[in-house]
Structures are given as C-alpha cells and as structure tokens.
C-alpha cells in the first residue's frame, strides 16, 4: 500500500535556520507590538510585491480583510452590501459581516471561475445606493485576468474595490506584475496551508500609505499616535516570531513557486485530454492546489473515488459555496444573492488536486494516473 499523498504539505524553515532569528528576538526582548522583525517583514513584503507599495501585517488574513473594509470602505452600515462571489472561502462573507456590512453574493464567469463582471455591473446599475464596496476575490489565489476592467467598473461607479488575494502571494496578474498592487488594497493570508506560510499571519498591501496607517491603527486597538483610541479597533497584531519565519520564507520562495508551477504544468498536459479543464492564468499563480473542472458531475465523483482509492488526498473547493453553508441558509436575511447558476454548475464538477513545494515526481505521476483512471 502506498503512503497517502497529503493535499497540502507545508514547508517551513528548519529549526537551525530559525535559531538565530529567535536569538535576535530574545536579545531585543521584544515579542510583539511592531518590533524590528515585524517592520523588516512588512518592508520586505512590499518590496517583493512591486514598486511604490506599502504593507501592514496582521495576526491572520481574515483580520486583514476586516481591516481593509473598515479603512478603505467605512465604519459599517447594516443596510448596505458588499458584492462578492459565493465561490470563495467562507472568511470573505464573515469579514464583511464583522466589518458591519451584508454580503451580496454574485455569480462567477464560466470560463475563469472569477467573479462575473456582468453580474457586478447589473447589481450596481439596479441598486447602486445599496452597495458599499466590491470585495473581489482572486479565486484560488489566481490573478484575475480582467483586473483592469474591475478597476474601471469601480471607478465608474465610485465604489471601493477590495481584493482578497489570500492564497495568491507570489501570483502574477500578467507579464511581470505580481498580485498585490490593485484596487484600494489587496490582502494576503500566510496561514500554514497557503503557499507562503508562516503559521498564522496576514497582510494588507496598498499603493495608498494612508490606508496602511489606518489599518495598522485598527489592529492596535484603534490607537492613534497619541496612544488614544480614536476608532473602534481590536488586537490583530503579528508576533515577532511569525514575522521572523516570514523573513526566512521569502528566501528561495521563487524557486519553490517554480517547482509548484512545474507540477501544475504536468497535471494540465496529462489531464486536459481526458476532459479536465484548468483555470486560465493558474500557470502563473502560486498554486495553493490545482483546481480543475470535470466534464460532468458523474466524472467528478468517479475521479474523486479513484483518488481516494489511490490514497491521494483531494478536495473540491469551494464546495459548498458561501451561500450554501448552513449558517447563511438559516440566516437568509443577512445576505442577498444574484443568480448563482454558474457557481452551482462549477461546484458540481470541480476538483482540487494536491500541489507541494518540490513535489516528488512519483507523487505527481500517482495523482495523474488516479485521475486518468477515474476520468475514463
Ligand atoms: C485562507 C483564506 C482566507 C483566510 O485567511 P486566514 O489567514 O486563514 O484568516 C480568506 N480568504 C480566502 C479566499 C482564503 O483562501
């Protein structure tokens, strides 16, 4: 019996690589509250992502999303909605609610699985006053190929555009432009399961330094420079230890990404012929995992069974989509939904395959064989 291939296999710095980082922290005797490791990490993140960007750090990506909404949109208004795809991780709707807004779920585009621009435009045309912001998700961390059109729509309707790029640290929009510099701001998660992982952590990145400063104050109890609380804040600070892990994780990150893209290329080459379709632009993304749409729901169940029999851990993200989770079904008045038929169709056919840093050739081969067996 083969040993199980895990869906996610985090790679972390070895203890000896971190020993001197930890020594620095103990020497400084500074463990949180924006110490030297945190400042260096925030600077390094912004520099990695592109010119003229600024970054704030957070205890996790969900807090970065809440901070994005509070600082780039407003203090919350339960009558107003935030447009977002249902086809993304549940934290997106939760963040909107914690920030004081209501989620409005829109459909995705059938070819990119990214939020549908037409659906957002229709919502704005019919109900502009009900909409406080657009919370665009770069679905699966893949840079949206139509990002310039989204910025155009947001500018036309004067509505803030917040981009959730949680799993997409290292992904590209196109050419040499990394995900991170678009919209009012973008957020990332550095959770242990993401390609760029520090345990728990997150970041908010913007061209606008004002947004960064406000977000920074928000996760420090709403304190202004005077050390007086001037807004409703909370504690969402990143610890020095996690920032130090992040600084180490940046070393060699591009090489690890290249190895992930290599595994993805093999999946795509070997599996398109048996009816699987992969996401456009995924080949330049950081590939938390590899998503593919089967040709029918039956093919999907057969592929999932075959993967299970071959001891390959697989998933079918984002199924259920946000609006189908029991909490939202039971509290239907908290949300609003446009037509979601493409979302339902994609959920019935989607599969997510494991991608690891430097994934073993044998493991890639075993995933491919199992999918091919099931797809036939
Ligand atoms: C992982 C993820 C989050 C949450 O990030 P945490 O760091 O776990 O809080 C939010 N949105 C999306 C799309 C994600 O994939």
């Amino acid at each position: 019996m083969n040993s199980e291939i895990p869906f996610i296999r985090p790679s972390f710095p070895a203890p000896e690589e971190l020993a001197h980082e930890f020594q620095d922290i103990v020497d400084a005797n500074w463990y949180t509250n924006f110490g030297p490791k945190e400042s260096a990490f925030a600077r390094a993140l912004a520099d990695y992502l592109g010119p003229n960007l600024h970054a704030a750090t957070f205890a996790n990506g969900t807090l970065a999303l809440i901070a994005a909404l509070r600082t780039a949109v407003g203090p919350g208004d339960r009558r107003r909605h935030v447009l977002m795809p249902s086809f993304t991780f549940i934290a997106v709707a939760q963040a909107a609610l914690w920030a004081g807004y209501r989620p409005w779920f829109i459909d995705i585009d059938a070819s990119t699985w990214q939020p549908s621009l037409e659906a957002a435009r229709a919502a704005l045309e019919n109900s502009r006053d009900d909409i406080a912001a657009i919370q665009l998700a770069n679905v699966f961390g893949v840079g949206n190929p139509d990002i310039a059109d989204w910025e155009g729509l947001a500018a036309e309707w004067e509505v803030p555009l917040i981009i959730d790029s949680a799993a997409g640290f290292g992904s590209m929009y196109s050419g040499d432009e990394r995900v991170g510099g678009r919209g009012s701001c973008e957020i990332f998660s550095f959770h242990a399961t993401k390609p760029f992982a520090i345990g728990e952590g997150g970041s908010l990145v913007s061209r606008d330094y004002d947004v960064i400063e406000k977000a920074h104050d928000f996760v420090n109890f709403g304190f202004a420079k005077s050390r007086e609380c001037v807004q409703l804040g909370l504690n969402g600070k990143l610890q020095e230890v996690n920032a130090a892990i992040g600084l180490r994780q940046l070393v060699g990150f591009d090489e690890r990404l290249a190895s992930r893209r290599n595994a993805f290329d093999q999946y795509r080459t070997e599996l398109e012929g048996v009816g699987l379709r992969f996401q456009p632009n995924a080949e330049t993304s950081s590939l938390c995992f590899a998503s593919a749409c089967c040709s029918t729901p039956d093919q999907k169940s057969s592929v999932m069974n075959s993967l299970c029999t071959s001891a390959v851990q697989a998933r079918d993200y984002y199924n259920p989509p946000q609006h189908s989770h029991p909490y939202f079904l039971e509290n239907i008045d908290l949300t609003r939904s446009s037509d979601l038929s493409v979302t339902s169709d994609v959920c019935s056919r989607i599969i997510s395959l494991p991608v690891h840093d430097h994934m073993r050739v044998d493991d890639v081969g075993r995933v491919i064989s199992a999918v091919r067996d099931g797809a036939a």
Side-chain angles (χ1 to χ4, degrees), residues 276-300:
L276 270 66
R277 212 175 59 74
F278 290 82
Q279 189 184 14
N281 222 23
E283 67 281 0
T284 67
S285 77
S286 45
L287 294 157
C288 199
F289 41 82
S291 305
C293 248
C294 296
S295 47
T296 62
D298 283 348
Q299 189 186 44
K300 167 178 167 170

Side-chain angles (χ1 to χ4, degrees), residues 37 68 72 86 118 126 135 234 246 256-257 266 278 300 343:
K37 296 293 179 193
S86 180
E118 290 68 41
N126 295 322
Q135 217 175 327
L234 46 70
R256 299 203 301 279
L257 279 186
Q266 292 179 56
F278 290 82
K300 167 178 167 170
T343 300

